[in-house]
Amino acid sequence: MRPYRLIFAFGISVLLQTVANDALEAVEPSPLDASSHVLPSHVGNFRLLDQMGRSVELYRAVEAPAVVLYIHGVGCPMVRQIIPELTRIQKAYEPQGVKFYMLNANSQDSRSDLLKDAKKYKIRIPILKDNSQRITHALGCRRTAEVLVLDPQSDWKILYRGPVDDRFNYGAQKKKATHTWLRNALQSHLEGKPIAEKQIAPKGCLIRFLDNEEISYTNKVAPILLAKCVSCHSEGGVGPFAMSSYGEVAGWADMMQETIRTERMPPWHADREYETFHNSLGLSVEEERILLAWFEQGAKSDAEAVDPLQAHEASQQASGHHETWQLGKPDLVLQLSQEQRIPAEGVVDYRYFSVSSGLAEDRWVRAIDVQPTNLAVVHHALIFILYPPQYRHLQPEAKNGLNGFFGSFLPGGNVQPLPKDTGCFVPAGSTFIFQIHYTTTGIEEHDQTQMGLYFCSQPPQQVFRVQAAVKMDFVIPPHTADSPAKATYRFRKDVQLLGLSPHMHYRGSRFRFDAKYPDGKIQRVLSVPHYEFDWQPMYYFEKPIPIPRGTQLHCVGAFDNSTFNPRNPNPKEEVRFGEQSFEEMFIGYVASSVPYRQEDFVAGEVNPDHWAGFGKQITAETLAGTTWSMGKRMRFHFLQSGTLKINGKFPGSWNLDSKTIHLKAGPRNIDLNIRLDELIFKGRPLQRIPQGG
């Protein structure tokens, strides 16, 4: 192109831009045309992840004077052009308590796209990814660059919706905005004045919504409920109601919509961005979209169609599948020897019970199912195994659950066989310790928890184990919304990483596992951005992850001890490590396996010279003169006449009452149980110190 043509083209461009700007100056903004779809007056609660993978629940901002939602879209010019002004507004009003969020519903925008966009355009506002699109659709937003101002103090009423200002239009822009609608709305609201203009037509890129057709209950909704919900929501299941028919589901439709939007249901909280899991109860993006769209459409049934839920319920009743054991009849059932009485109220200390396996030969276990007889009072149960003396050198050290467990009943822990080709070793003569956390219900209750074991026909290819990383020396200050905690697990062998499970209590808010390999590479293998104490499954990977020796597994999480945590027992308290739910824990459970080798499971020799009274019941006479250690920091030397030496110098006392030894160790009172030739503290055997040791 010749130079004069360039000058001519540039002149025409300037002329057109000037005309467009003059037209924009002259034309008044149009009110929002609501004829195409019904616009809500209030906003329901929802929970989404932002570009960093952080969980954000809208209603946690209940104390804010206002919340701003801006509809984001990667690549949309209208969105990009307004970001500097939106950032200035955020800087001006965030110090006054106003919360700012962006909302992205574009199916073509991934979370990594959001992260790149945030870095490129210096966006400091959380960009919430609406994968299902149903949150944005329910808000009535059909274009990007629309902004909504919400009032948390008026049941989340929408105070204003429309553009940020009128500076930008399609293919044109003004030098300066004539109407600053967002600033005006925020300023008027904070000053207690009425907002002059509440609805203005947005200027932005159209959002393409999927699944806008009528959703079929029979063909689309019921199959999802059968696959992901009915296992718990059935007669006698842990769900509060049974999904036995369309009518039952329709009656709970509003509640189901709320729990799905806020990710309370299904009970699966792993971030989809990382690994996949074979025992997942979570909804896929497509499944979530279908269910939420069906709820929006009125949860309609299909006329004259056979109800799949009713058909499934009839089939289950006919086959007798409503039974205690989800994996079928166990090969061995072990149960507490006595029914436990749980008081009507109060805090119940963890209870420990010793249950003999009764096995006369060594066995390998392929599945474990722990079943309370009263689900209302058992919060969780951990099972530890104690090997007989000849296998004591192989015994897993569970440390009362701080370093793993043999089996478990955990909130939301759906019963699964151990991963394929793996098993747990149970030698003949083993004993199981049941650690049970009971909670009160307002009336006296009873329970007699049992455990079902399923045996392998031969030794497995891989030996299964659960161990843990734990942090105990933390302090959570009062009124702290994000108090961090870290723990590290070190792999001393090459293993197959099978699954992971975070454990905290009511103040737990987030937890992730990052594997740092010997070459320095870091891989995020599990992130639980929204931790729920009531749901603690083991997240089993779809495919085992090979972990070389020397790898460190970093557990990174945080506690929410603020008033914004609706389940916080008391935000005014300083919180430390403890067993009860009003205290806290920080444990990362690690399920892994190593190859089975027959030579690793050979009985050892026990030297009776180092174990006085080996195989014989402990009595007051045989206990006197012996020394025992409880962990690394406490050593007891039992002397005659009930005298006790603690760590070789501090005085104490002891007395034997039936099969219990009562210790007075300084300010502490400790009870030890006698099991034949062992002393047991909370299910853990004390270590016998040989004479002169």
Side-chain angles (χ1 to χ4, degrees), residues 608-629:
D609 294 337
H610 288 178
W611 199 325
F614 170 71
K616 297 179 181 179
Q617 181 77 34
I618 289 177
T619 65
E621 290 73 22
T622 60
L623 184 61
T626 64
T627 303
W628 304 72
S629 66

Side-chain angles (χ1 to χ4, degrees), residues 209-216 220 286 290 293-294 297:
F209 287 95
L210 307 176
D211 282 335
N212 280 329
E213 76 278 5
E214 191 80 14
I215 302 296
S216 165
K220 288 198 171 183
E286 180 69 10
I290 288 171
W294 183 65
Q297 295 169 8

